[in-house]
Amino acid sequence: MEYRTLANGLKMPLLGFGVFQVDDLKQCEQAIKDAIKVGYRLLDTAMTYHNESAVGKAVRESGVPRSEFFVTTKAWISDMGEERTQAAFNQSLAELGLDYIDLYLLHMPLGDYYGAWRALEQLYREGKVKAIGVSNFTAAQLIDLKYNCEIVPMVNQIEHHPHYQRVPEVELMQEMGIQVEAWAPFAEGMHGMFTEPVLERIAAKHLKTVAQVILRWNLEAGIVVIPKSVRPERMAENFAVFDFALDDEDKKLIATLDKHKASMLDLSVPSEVHRLYSYLENPVVTSLS
Ligand code: NAP
């Protein structure tokens, strides 16, 4: 495994494994157990995925030392605010059945996320979490947060894939010392991601698959990436990305696929914000798209 070093010196695996939309707990536990066998150690869940208990159980029963894992979970928008976020963290820790969390994120820049951030700073100082960060924040929101906080977020987990490359934003975050982490690296297969001719040609050239090319492209940009799959053969495929390299021509071609537009989640669209708040009435978030 290769690692990125966060602003506080913590090592974060470059490649991880996500379990969004794996809300059957047995299936989630099995998926995590399979992923651990393949070699994944960065595991990404969230309170709103309703599967933290399965993730924690698989980690605890794995026989792999806890210190090898990098467990991430996130506070949902219903839990923003200093006291509520503190309580949500304790609930996540209990669901996971772990003594600490490696990375705790604010899931969305909605609600009282300044109060929530102060709770994360406190949890970090108390040693209950090894690193703190945010998700789905724009570069402008990060700059504003930076002017109003004591600890700058160490990570921003954002939608990032060949159709939505966010080059200036990523550069800015990198300049700010904030590790970029790509969610939905395949855009969940939407808009023909797996059959993009450019990606198919690059994959054929390297005797790799389109999924592997996409993951490799993230790794080479220093972006942590967390594909999801419930199929062991795809978990293994997605893990086999450390034995080839993209060349400049490949990267130039991939750059042409940028649509400069979110495929999954655009928080500048009013109906998207309403939709996320509507999950408060129906709390199982099954799709962000
Ligand atoms: P994704 O990883 O882009 O795509 C997952 C989809 O691709 C699944 O349908 C999976 O199917 C399929 N797939 C996986 N590997 C494949 C391969 N090698 N070939 C063909 N198909 C493949 O989407 P995602 O799950 O939305 O994103 C990944 C993780 O990011 C999530 O699990 C979650 O941890 C995180 N996330 C965070 C946010 C946020 O707001 N912070 C939002 C969304 C996601 P099978 O499972 O059937 O293999």
Side-chain angles (χ1 to χ4, degrees):
M1 179 51 62
E2 292 174 19
Y3 296 84
R4 296 291 292 175
T5 304
L6 303 184
N8 66 344
L10 189 72
K11 297 248 183 265
M12 179 175 191
L14 247 178
L15 175 65
F17 182 78
V19 285
F20 178 44
Q21 298 177 119
V22 192
D23 30 54
D24 178 274
L25 291 181
K26 278 271 158 242
Q27 188 190 31
C28 182
E29 187 185 330
Q30 191 55 52
I32 295 279
K33 284 185 170 163
D34 291 339
I36 293 171
K37 263 193 221 137
V38 168
Y40 293 92
R41 294 294 180 267
L42 189 174
L43 306 172
D44 185 86
T45 181
M47 184 180 271
T48 197
Y49 300 170
H50 296 275
N51 57 20
E52 289 169 310
S53 61
V55 173
K57 186 164 184 281
V59 166
R60 293 193 311 274
E61 293 177 359
S62 66
V64 175
R66 169 69 183 90
S67 58
E68 280 192 25
F69 286 104
F70 191 101
V71 178
T72 302
T73 192
K74 317 179 190 90
W76 187 237
I77 59 177
S78 45
D79 293 312
M80 292 298 101
E82 208 157 343
E83 281 174 24
R84 286 161 84 169
T85 304
Q86 179 89 37
F89 176 86
N90 289 334
Q91 199 183 325
S92 284
L93 205 57
E95 283 287 318
L96 286 158
L98 300 175
D99 295 334
Y100 66 90
I101 289 170
D102 295 271
L103 175 64
Y104 195 47
L105 303 177
L106 301 183
H107 208 145
M108 301 276 166
L110 296 172
D112 177 14
Y113 59 81
Y114 283 90
W117 186 254
R118 286 193 291 279
L120 264 60
E121 290 178 326
Q122 187 55 27
L123 290 164
Y124 178 70
R125 285 191 203 99
E126 289 167 2
K128 292 181 177 161
V129 55
K130 303 274 181 207
I132 51 176
V134 296
S135 180
N136 299 306
F137 276 51
T138 62
Q141 284 164 330
L142 283 169
I143 291 167
D144 186 46
L145 188 57
K146 189 176 170 184
Y147 276 112
N148 291 285
C149 69
E150 288 173 15
I151 304 173
V152 177
M154 294 154 196
V155 173
N156 188 19
Q157 186 184 111
I158 54 170
E159 178 181 348
H160 180 272
H161 44 72
H163 291 160
Y164 191 36
Q165 304 190 16
R166 316 178 74 165
V167 175
E169 270 189 286
V170 167
E171 277 172 8
L172 212 118
M173 289 173 211
Q174 289 174 334
E175 276 163 31
M176 289 172 77
I178 297 169
Q179 176 61 48
V180 178
E181 182 176 23
W183 64 255
F186 310 137
E188 293 180 9
M190 285 165 57
H191 308 296
M193 183 66 84
F194 289 118
T195 52
E196 273 290 356
V198 160
L199 297 176
E200 285 182 328
R201 279 205 304 278
I202 298 171
K205 178 171 122 186
H206 293 282
L207 302 177
K208 287 285 180 181
T209 64
V210 166
Q212 290 169 325
V213 167
I214 293 172
L215 296 173
R216 183 73 210 171
W217 169 74
N218 276 283
L219 304 185
E220 289 186 15
I223 295 177
V224 172
V225 62
I226 45 170
K228 169 260 172 188
S229 178
V230 291
R231 305 186 203 197
E233 70 280 7
R234 286 184 177 169
M235 296 175 194
E237 174 188 332
N238 297 344
F239 203 74
V241 290
F242 296 99
D243 58 355
F244 76 112
L246 301 174
D247 58 34
D248 289 347
E249 185 58 26
D250 300 332
K251 287 178 195 165
K252 269 189 213 144
L253 286 169
I254 296 173
T256 66
L257 299 178
D258 196 354
K259 298 180 181 174
H260 305 280
K261 193 176 175 309
S263 302
M264 319 289 299
L265 177 74
D266 184 351
L267 289 177
S268 69
V269 174
S271 60
E272 288 286 273
V273 178
H274 280 305
R275 189 170 58 85
L276 290 176
Y277 275 100
S278 76
Y279 289 127
L280 299 181
E281 281 134 47
N282 173 23
V284 178
V285 175
T286 52
S287 175
L288 287 176
S289 55

